[in-house]
């Protein structure tokens, strides 16, 4: 083709893509998909909640359940009661007969030459040995083990070892700071913590143990043991263990336990599998507690139905296991189906901007899962970084935030080559697995829309007074889920009251024992369209979504308040072309403190220390006063208007209506 023809083809395609609202899944995809029968929705609706037995039947149970759903004490629903199973057995042991020599995990390190193909047999050996190590240091069934591990094989190995002995894990994303780790160790009451000496970021070795050292100082509790994995064969030269540390080298203990076998503990379906802390609207992060039976059933089924995973596939979810996406869709769902799951240690631009596609080509990846933030970044880097690599995805997905149609189209065209199916998956840490997303062979793709409800899932839109808005009305409102589902969180760890307050109280009759009176609040705004597709608009509460990571305004504000120079502070989300949202901090300094870059620096540092570098404020804006109501509540919505250069909303309820304009003037004058 000549250059001119290229340009014409491109223009024609762009025009078609812009005019077209729906995209058909490719025929060859439909022909091979795991779910092809459109009656699945009806079948599930008619048989709720028994329909979910189909999901549980994808697992091997030690004992069959008595009842699918016990809803006698809402919102403390119980799933597959009386059933018994082990998650590590389901992810490993049951596959050995058929595929012990197939890779369960393919790990690629910072350096492309450093790779591991961990077969199901290897994974079995490693998990048994690590389970023996956990037992050796005194971990017992139901003890919560806090992990602070990056994208190394030791992370899934540790999680599955915990699951094997029935000790819930609580993995804290490696990017979280020492303070955040300390808070989570305290909240979970962990006696045993698992970390690693270091890992690589953009090719540089990061001393990761340091964060744990500091966390131990900051924590109120006093863990007995810290199990320390090593990134290389031995402890890195720059990392030290002093004699009074609670650190023990995992490798040394593994040596004592070579070839040890640990029987998987038979867990009640309702026994917790793990905790995952997530940001809420108030106070400290909440430990979302996930059960074994319902969670495993739900993530296995959605991995099969939505991600269309087959055991012979090579599947790559390019997320971090430290977040729920990685738990559900790198580790538990894919391994439960016996597929090959890819992990990569470093960033997408290391050592060049084509690294992701190079990996996709090398392992012949079939299914690729990423976030809209990553898609926007790839788009900004340009398609020239993609085109040199020969890969062919059958199926692609996005998760974590709404995807703009332009980004979707770019992804479809340049990554999917217009012949892959794409699903946009809406769900949350709390929901365990996908709730709103199309079944890829059944529904047309619609850029910017998450699609239909999953079978048996009942999303609805309610107005602010708690009244249901008519289905498919196209009117925006609060996204709620009316009926319970197996992947839902059990509670907030150790705090049932907070569980009710955060998720149920607003739209439920909390005095009632009738499950119909209980409705789960997602905290997102959404629209239910005539085509039965849901478009998710974003958080309605004080939670922002920075590059797909959830951050509570309150957490950010309390980090800023730690800085002595600060009298008062409020945080607002600024829209950002790449990260979706970024935090702007509005600060009133104490009397006598000079507004300076030094103060700005201390504020940024405080946020990095308290939460992590990924939460770094985009701007620190000094002001004389914050916009407040007469009762003294900070009106963050107005600050958001200022950050995004929008019209100021109603200011008449302010104690001093001139404040927002003053802030705006000062910003413009700066
Ligand atoms: C899985 C995960 C949950 C919040 C959620 C919503 C946003 C997630 C989305 C989406 C639009 C999608 N979100 N998926 N918004 N479209 N497909 O991301 O969990 O970290 O708990 O975040 O993310 O606001 O409420 P989590």
């Amino acid at each position: 083709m000549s250059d001119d023809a290229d340009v014409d083809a491109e223009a024609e395609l762009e025009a078609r893509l812009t005019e077209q609202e729906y995209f058909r899944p490719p025929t060859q995809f439909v022909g091979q998909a795991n779910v092809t029968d459109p009656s699945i929705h009806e079948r599930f609706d008619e048989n709720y909640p028994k329909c979910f037995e189909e999901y549980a039947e994808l697992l091997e149970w030690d004992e069959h359940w008595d009842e699918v759903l016990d809803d006698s004490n809402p919102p403390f629903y119980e799933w597959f009661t009386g059933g018994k199973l082990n998650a590590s057995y389901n992810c490993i042991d049951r596959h050995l007969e058929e595929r012990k020599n197939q890779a369960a995990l393919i790990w690629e390190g910072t350096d492309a030459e450093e790779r591991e193909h961990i077969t199901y047999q290897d994974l079995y050996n490693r998990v048994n040995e690590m389970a023996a190590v956990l037992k050796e240091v005194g971990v017992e069934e139901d003890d919560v083990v806090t992990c602070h591990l990056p994208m190394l094989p030791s992370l899934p190995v540790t999680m599955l070892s915990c699951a094997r002995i029935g000790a819930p894990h609580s993995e804290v994303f490696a990017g979280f700071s020492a303070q955040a780790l300390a808070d989570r160790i305290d909240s979970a009451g962990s006696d045993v913590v698992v970390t690693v000496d270091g890992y690589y970021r953009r090719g540089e070795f990061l001393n990761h143990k340091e964060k744990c050292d500091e966390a131990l100082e900051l924590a109120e509790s006093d863990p007995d043991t810290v199990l320390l994995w090593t990134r290389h064969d031995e402890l890195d030269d720059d990392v030290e263990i002093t004699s009074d540390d609670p650190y023990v080298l995992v490798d040394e203990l593994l040596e004592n336990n070579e070839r040890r076998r640990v029987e998987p503990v038979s867990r009640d379906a309702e026994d917790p599998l793990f905790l995952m802390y997530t940001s809420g609207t108030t106070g400290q992060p909440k430990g979302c507690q996930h059960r074994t039976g319902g969670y495993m059933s739900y993530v296995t089924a959605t991995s099969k139905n939505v991600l269309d995973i087959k055991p012979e596939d090579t599947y790559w979810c390019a997320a971090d296991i430290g977040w729920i996406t990685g738990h559900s869709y790198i580790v538990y769902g894919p391994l439960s189906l016996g597929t090959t799951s890819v992990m990569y240690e470093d960033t997408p631009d290391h050592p060049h901007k084509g690294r992701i596609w190079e990996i996709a080509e090398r392992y012949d990846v079939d299914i690729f899962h990423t976030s809209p933030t990553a898609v926007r970044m790839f788009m900004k880097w340009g398609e020239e970084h993609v085109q040199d690599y020969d890969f062919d995805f059958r199926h692609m997905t996005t998760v974590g935030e709404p995807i703009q149609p332009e980004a979707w189209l770019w992804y479809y065209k340049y990554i999917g080559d217009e012949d892959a199916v794409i699903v946009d998956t809406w769900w949350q840490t709390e929901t365990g697995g996908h709730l709103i997303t199309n079944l890829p062979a059944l529904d047309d793709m619609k850029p910017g829309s998450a699609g239909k409800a999953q079978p048996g899932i009942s999303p609805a839109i309610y107005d602010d007074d708690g009244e249901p808005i008519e289905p498919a009305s196209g009117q925006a409102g609060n996204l709620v889920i009316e009926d319970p589902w197996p992947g839902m969180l059990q509670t907030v760890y150790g705090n049932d009251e907070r569980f009710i307050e955060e998720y149920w109280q607003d739209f439920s009759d909390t005095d009632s024992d009738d499950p119909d009176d209980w409705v789960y609040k997602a905290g997102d705004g959404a629209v239910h369209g005539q085509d039965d597709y849901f478009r998710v608009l974003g958080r309605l509460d004080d939670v922002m979504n920075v590059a797909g990571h959830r951050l509570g305004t309150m957490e950010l504000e309390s980090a800023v308040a730690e800085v002595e120079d600060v009298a008062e502070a409020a945080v607002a989300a600024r829209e950002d072309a790449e990260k979706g949202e970024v935090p702007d901090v509005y600060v009133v300094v104490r009397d006598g403190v000079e507004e300076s870059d030094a103060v700005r620096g201390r504020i940024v540092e405080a946020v990095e220390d308290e939460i992590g570098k990924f939460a770094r404020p985009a701007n620190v804006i000094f002001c004389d006063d914050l916009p407040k109501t007469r009762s003294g509540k900070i009106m963050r919505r107005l600050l958001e208007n200022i950050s995004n250069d929008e019209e100021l909303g109603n200011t008449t309820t302010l104690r001093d209506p001139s404040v927002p304009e003053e802030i705006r003037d000062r910003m413009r004058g700066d």
Side-chain angles (χ1 to χ4, degrees), residues 278 323-325 372 398-403 424-430 436 450 522-524 536-539 545 548-550:
T278 188
W323 304 102
I324 191 71
T325 299
T398 60
V399 63
E401 34 173 341
I403 183 159
D424 176 350
T425 61
W426 177 87
W427 59 294
Q428 309 177 297
T429 303
E430 293 84 348
I436 302 177
D524 281 333
V536 178
L537 304 168
R539 301 290 305 192
N545 195 326
H549 303 325
R550 243 163 93 168

Side-chain angles (χ1 to χ4, degrees), residues 527-548:
V527 175
H528 186 197
Q530 274 180 0
D531 52 7
D532 202 21
Y533 282 33
F534 286 83
R535 192 154 61 87
V536 178
L537 304 168
R539 301 290 305 192
L540 290 175
D541 50 10
D542 290 325
V543 174
M544 55 180 105
N545 195 326
V546 180

Side-chain angles (χ1 to χ4, degrees), residues 16-37:
R16 178 164 73 77
L17 295 180
T18 341
E19 279 160 21
Q20 195 175 338
E21 209 183 345
Y22 297 92
F23 293 77
R24 294 232 68 127
T27 329
Q28 69 273 26
F29 179 88
V30 176
Q32 61 77 61
N34 284 337
V35 179
T36 49
D37 179 0

Side-chain angles (χ1 to χ4, degrees), residues 11 30 125 129 172 191 197 557 642 653 657:
V30 176
N125 296 344
E129 288 166 9
V172 179
D191 281 332
D197 58 349
E557 287 176 3
I642 299 174
T653 56

Side-chain angles (χ1 to χ4, degrees), residues 384-405:
E384 59 271 26
H385 296 285
V386 183
Q387 282 160 347
D388 288 345
Y389 301 98
D390 184 15
F391 59 92
D392 182 15
F393 297 148
R394 168 177 100 234
H395 184 39
M396 297 168 10
T397 73
T398 60
V399 63
E401 34 173 341
I403 183 159
Q404 297 69 15

